[in-house]
Amino acid sequence: MSAKDQIIPAVSFTTAQTGASAKSDELGMRPMQAQAYEKRGEQYLLIKSPPASGKSRALMFIALDKLANQNVRQAIICVPERSIGASFNSEPLSKSGFFTDWNVAPQWNLCNTPGADDPKVAKSKVKAVGEFLASDEKVLVCTHATFRFAFDELGPEAFDNRLVAIDEFHHVSADAGNRLGAQLAQLIGRDKAHVVAMTGSYFRGDAIPVLAPEDEVKFETVTYTYYQQLNGYEYLKTLDIGYSFYTGPYTEKISALLDPTVKTIVHIPSVNSRESLKDKHREAEDIMNHLGDWQGIDPETGFHLIKTAAGNVIKVADLVDDDSAKRDRVAAALKSPDARSDRDFVDIIIALGMAKEGFDWIWCEHALTVGYRSSLTEIIQIIGRATRDAPGKTRARFTNLIAEPAADSPLVVDAINDYLKAIAASLLMEQVLAPRFDFTPKDAGPKPDFDYGPGGYKEGETNFGVNDHGQMHFEIKGLKLPKSVEATRICREDLNEVIATFVQDKSVVERGVFDPDVVPEELTQLKMGKIIREKYPELSEHDQEAVRQQAVAAMTLTQQAKAVLTSDGDGEIKANTAFIEGVRKFALSVTDLDIDLIDRVNPFEATIAVLAKSMDAKTLLQVQAVINAKKDKLTYEDARALAERALEFKRERGRLPSLTSQDAWERKMAEGIAFLQRHATKEASNG
């Protein structure tokens, strides 16, 4: 593999392999399911949990309790596409200790009914929904589309005293054009239905919230983190996430990354994307040619048989084929029990729009995605295909193969944009894989069940502790705590949402990664502050600042842990202690951790260090030049934000910031005041 073909490591996570994720209690529930079941009495429940953590079965337990004990008449399960409907097939739960079984009569799993979800076919399915609601049957499974059509025809009152469960909840949005979001708002407004929402994605990939704030506050949230899930695996030891660059046709570079002995899903680019070679069938054929010599097609499964250079015959599933009969045969084979039980049933899957959300191939070791996906949610879903635990599977990886941002190309701006998005995706995965942080001000006191290291909790110092779930308690001097219920919820549940918005802001990543003159506070205070104000306008100024501080602290600590680990030359740190040890080293290197210090750290520092080591120096300089050539000038809005920070500075120090200060942030605040003074003078002279 040449230097150009090297995979740039973005994230590497080593699990503790406790096996807890797969262990069941006396009711047959795994840890996440038991955690969710504890909240079964809530009318509105939101479950945020990674792929493969058992959300489908968690819903079965909750729904059965609601049907038996909470006066709920029926349960309607809504999934985004028909293939996911199989996740809710009948299950003999009583065999594992639960009080009853999950039964879905064949005629009430509408995902198995032939025909796409277009309005014509939907009419018969809507009729079936109406018949179900009028019957004594208990469980119906349908697609989001079928539910939308049925809701339009039957109205919200048809779902009174019923459970509406929405799988892959990130498909919903509070945007006026989102029908499912609008219908959900009507259900919540009527307040007579129960709603359980489930998502494996911690952010949506756009700026539109899933729920309006007044609706979201009604939901009780169960959060089971990637950190908990991966550490509880029995077999999977390491998860690697990285990206690789190519120039020319991507099919010429893919052989360097595609190992025929590793179970892999290859997602080729959309035909409308810049990376596409505009002939998806030829692209799939080229990939197969790289793997070896074609030997024919298996008549039962439809898999291509390829003889590799090593002399082995591997099986390749082509989900790109436009021939629906061929593609459906391959898709059916991939859903068969053999695909789950037999590691060697298939070796490579080539897909375009399929094999993403809800696709369950536990043996997948490598998700290789060509071209950047515009939705970060899609990236998380694709990574989730490789993070299933399976016997003999010790390592999983995700590789994003993207066009190198060569500065002499006419498409340089597009290439850099894709590159920045890849960085954003890796930063978000680092955040998602990190343990949960619990921030309090200095001297707040110890939390129960937290280990504060040798000597325990120390009064008068800023303490750092860890509990058995990997949750981390940090004391930070000068930290503001949220006052309102909503701000407290955001700090507890939605910091990753805030960070997602931050790292998806192109100007933030451009400045943070490629501008050597950037003042960190421009990012941590100005940019993050602006994002918080726009995202949560209903919060008070105090609460906006409290959320800002916690989001910046979470991101900075994650990045500093990564920086410590990547620069540490004293050998490998074992198991899940790696991240915690990185954070501990950073915490101990600072005698008194305070919010001002955290604000003075560029959140992209660790990313810059990785790029400097792994990206071609000439390319890096070219990209820097392109981005710095279009550096934004100070705006009136930014000047006002700087002036507000300057007033805080004056309250603390008794003087305004100086333009001649040695401190870059103080000079920046002074520039903001000077800008506003010039603006006021100009306005006065024009008036």
Side-chain angles (χ1 to χ4, degrees):
M1 193 185 283
S2 71
K4 187 181 275 278
D5 294 326
Q6 291 292 335
I7 296 171
I8 297 175
V11 188
S12 189
F13 182 90
T14 306
T15 74
Q17 289 183 287
T18 66
S21 295
K23 285 177 185 156
S24 299
D25 63 14
E26 65 280 2
L27 295 178
M29 296 182 194
R30 286 153 53 191
M32 186 283 287
Q33 294 158 353
Q35 195 176 317
Y37 191 66
E38 283 177 13
K39 301 285 179 71
R40 63 191 179 277
E42 298 290 336
Q43 184 178 355
Y44 302 114
L45 190 60
L46 172 58
I47 301 172
K48 291 181 176 181
S49 183
S53 57
K55 289 188 292 297
S56 305
R57 192 161 292 200
L59 176 66
M60 295 176 192
F61 292 127
I62 292 165
L64 287 169
D65 186 85
K66 285 185 179 292
L67 290 168
N69 303 317
Q70 298 180 44
N71 296 318
V72 171
R73 288 178 57 191
Q74 293 174 310
I76 297 106
I77 321 298
C78 311
V79 298
E81 58 180 71
R82 287 166 55 204
S83 62
I84 300 175
S87 302
F88 296 95
N89 286 344
S90 297
E91 286 287 346
L93 300 178
S94 61
K95 279 189 177 177
S96 303
F98 198 60
F99 72 84
T100 188
D101 292 328
W102 176 256
N103 290 311
V104 184
Q107 73 266 35
W108 300 125
N109 190 334
L110 302 186
C111 293
N112 296 334
T113 307
D117 275 317
D118 57 49
K120 287 179 187 172
V121 175
K123 282 187 179 175
S124 64
K125 293 189 180 180
V126 167
K127 185 169 176 273
V129 173
E131 289 169 358
F132 168 80
L133 293 171
S135 75
D136 292 327
E137 294 289 338
K138 292 299 180 188
V139 182
L140 175 94
V141 180
C142 67
T143 62
H144 288 181
T146 296
F147 179 79
R148 288 198 312 268
F149 292 132
F151 191 99
D152 282 341
E153 188 163 310
L154 304 171
E157 59 278 359
F159 302 95
D160 287 355
N161 303 316
R162 289 170 172 86
L163 167 65
V164 176
I166 302 173
D167 193 23
E168 307 298 357
F169 191 55
H170 51 270
H171 285 261
V172 179
S173 117
D175 181 63
N178 186 291
R179 286 294 306 136
L180 190 54
Q183 291 167 344
L184 185 63
Q186 283 182 264
L187 277 183
I188 295 170
R190 187 170 171 80
D191 205 29
K192 292 191 176 179
H194 288 232
V195 178
V196 174
M198 303 182 294
T199 179
S201 177
Y202 287 71
F203 26 78
R204 291 165 290 273
D206 59 28
I208 302 164
V210 167
L211 290 167
E214 62 271 20
D215 290 335
E216 186 156 355
V217 78
K218 293 177 182 175
F219 278 78
E220 180 67 29
T221 303
V222 174
T223 301
Y224 190 72
T225 65
Y226 253 105
Y227 190 85
Q228 291 170 285
Q229 172 73 358
L230 293 176
N231 272 330
Y233 276 170
E234 187 177 353
Y235 308 104
L236 185 63
K237 186 179 180 183
T238 308
L239 170 64
D240 296 320
I241 295 169
Y243 38 98
S244 183
F245 298 120
Y246 71 92
T247 53
Y250 77 82
T251 47
E252 291 179 11
K253 298 293 179 187
I254 206 162
S255 56
L257 304 174
L258 190 54
D259 182 343
T261 66
V262 174
K263 305 295 180 187
T264 305
I265 300 178
V266 182
H267 283 107
I268 68 171
S270 156
V271 290
N272 299 317
S273 71
R274 188 169 53 85
E275 295 86 359
S276 172
L277 305 180
K278 309 307 175 193
D279 186 343
K280 61 183 182 179
H281 302 108
R282 178 68 185 272
E283 290 168 46
E285 286 167 11
D286 281 354
I287 291 167
M288 284 190 257
N289 287 337
H290 283 299
L291 289 167
D293 297 323
W294 188 76
Q295 304 291 299
I297 290 178
D298 182 295
E300 277 189 46
T301 61
F303 298 160
H304 293 264
L305 305 174
I306 310 282
K307 190 172 187 179
T308 68
N312 302 320
V313 175
I314 62 170
K315 290 168 260 189
V316 179
D318 178 7
L319 291 172
V320 178
D321 201 316
D322 277 332
D323 185 324
S324 59
K326 288 182 183 175
R327 194 179 63 238
D328 288 351
R329 180 170 50 153
V330 171
L334 292 173
K335 283 189 218 169
S336 69
D338 289 344
R340 187 169 183 84
S341 60
D342 181 3
R343 185 183 186 277
D344 296 319
F345 184 72
V346 67
D347 299 286
I348 309 280
I349 297 172
I350 303 173
L352 200 159
M354 299 175 74
K356 294 177 189 172
E357 189 174 79
F359 181 77
D360 192 6
W361 181 34
I362 63 168
W363 309 105
C364 176
E365 299 165 294
H366 189 190
L368 174 54
T369 299
V370 183
Y372 184 71
R373 298 318 203 238
S374 60
S375 163
L376 288 165
T377 296
E378 187 176 349
I379 289 284
I380 300 302
Q381 289 291 344
I382 290 172
I383 292 170
R385 298 320 99 208
T387 56
R388 263 62 175 172
D389 202 28
K393 175 177 161 181
T394 58
R395 183 183 179 198
R397 69 192 88 155
F398 165 76
T399 308
N400 196 179
L401 180 58
I402 53 178
E404 183 171 274
D408 54 356
S409 160
L411 295 173
V412 64
V413 175
D414 290 341
I416 290 173
N417 285 346
D418 283 356
Y419 178 60
L420 293 174
K421 288 171 184 172
I423 290 172
S426 67
L427 286 167
L428 279 170
M429 277 312 296
E430 286 164 17
Q431 213 62 45
V432 165
L433 292 170
R436 290 182 68 175
F437 296 113
D438 192 348
F439 297 118
T440 59
K442 186 178 177 182
D443 290 329
K447 287 183 169 287
D449 303 321
F450 275 76
D451 175 12
Y452 291 93
Y457 183 90
K458 299 180 180 70
E459 296 283 349
E461 296 184 19
T462 49
N463 289 273
F464 161 63
V466 183
N467 69 10
D468 290 341
H469 301 296
Q471 191 166 352
M472 297 171 133
H473 174 214
F474 268 97
E475 288 190 330
I476 301 174
K477 188 179 175 184
L479 184 81
K480 287 184 174 165
L481 285 178
K483 290 181 178 176
S484 69
V485 172
E486 175 62 1
T488 303
R489 185 198 67 76
I490 292 164
C491 290
R492 189 181 66 243
E493 303 290 349
D494 282 355
L495 287 186
N496 283 345
E497 294 278 356
V498 174
I499 293 166
T501 308
F502 182 71
V503 298
Q504 284 180 100
D505 185 313
K506 201 171 66 172
S507 68
V508 167
V509 184
E510 284 178 349
R511 296 291 307 285
V513 177
F514 293 112
D515 182 357
D517 301 320
V518 72
V519 180
E521 289 94 335
E522 289 182 59
L523 305 170
T524 58
Q525 293 195 12
L526 286 195
K527 295 286 190 182
M528 185 67 92
K530 182 171 184 262
I531 283 166
I532 302 292
R533 287 193 302 276
E534 289 176 351
K535 197 171 179 66
Y536 304 110
E538 72 285 354
L539 296 184
S540 68
E541 282 186 24
H542 173 94
D543 277 351
Q544 286 175 345
E545 176 62 7
V547 173
R548 184 201 71 77
Q549 288 182 0
Q550 297 223 8
V552 168
M555 187 175 180
T556 299
L557 288 168
T558 302
Q559 292 305 304
Q560 289 302 312
K562 176 186 166 190
V564 168
L565 293 171
T566 52
S567 63
D568 202 346
D570 63 0
E572 188 180 323
I573 300 169
K574 299 297 180 189
N576 68 322
T577 57
F579 184 91
I580 293 171
E581 287 306 316
V583 172
R584 195 189 300 275
K585 284 185 180 184
F586 172 67
L588 293 175
S589 70
V590 181
T591 51
D592 219 6
L593 194 62
D594 66 69
I595 195 63
D596 289 342
L597 181 142
I598 287 170
D599 276 342
R600 283 198 293 272
V601 176
N602 181 343
F604 302 99
E605 213 171 68
T607 300
I608 298 165
V610 169
L611 289 184
K613 286 181 187 174
S614 50
M615 193 176 181
D616 178 75
K618 184 184 171 193
T619 303
L620 192 55
L621 286 171
Q622 287 176 323
V623 173
Q624 277 183 324
V626 170
I627 285 172
N628 288 332
K630 57 177 186 138
K631 199 184 290 186
D632 294 334
K633 290 181 180 175
L634 191 62
T635 64
Y636 178 76
E637 187 183 1
D638 283 345
R640 279 195 61 177
L642 283 165
E644 285 170 15
R645 295 284 173 185
L647 289 174
E648 225 172 277
F649 179 94
K650 186 183 178 185
R651 279 195 295 273
E652 290 171 5
R653 317 250 182 125
R655 65 175 177 83
L656 283 170
S658 166
L659 281 165
T660 57
S661 170
Q662 293 296 305
D663 182 79
W665 177 234
E666 185 178 339
R667 289 198 305 274
K668 199 77 191 173
M669 287 187 284
E671 283 175 28
I673 294 172
F675 181 99
L676 290 183
Q677 287 171 339
R678 288 196 303 273
H679 185 270
T681 304
K682 189 177 175 184
E683 289 284 298
S685 63
N686 288 342

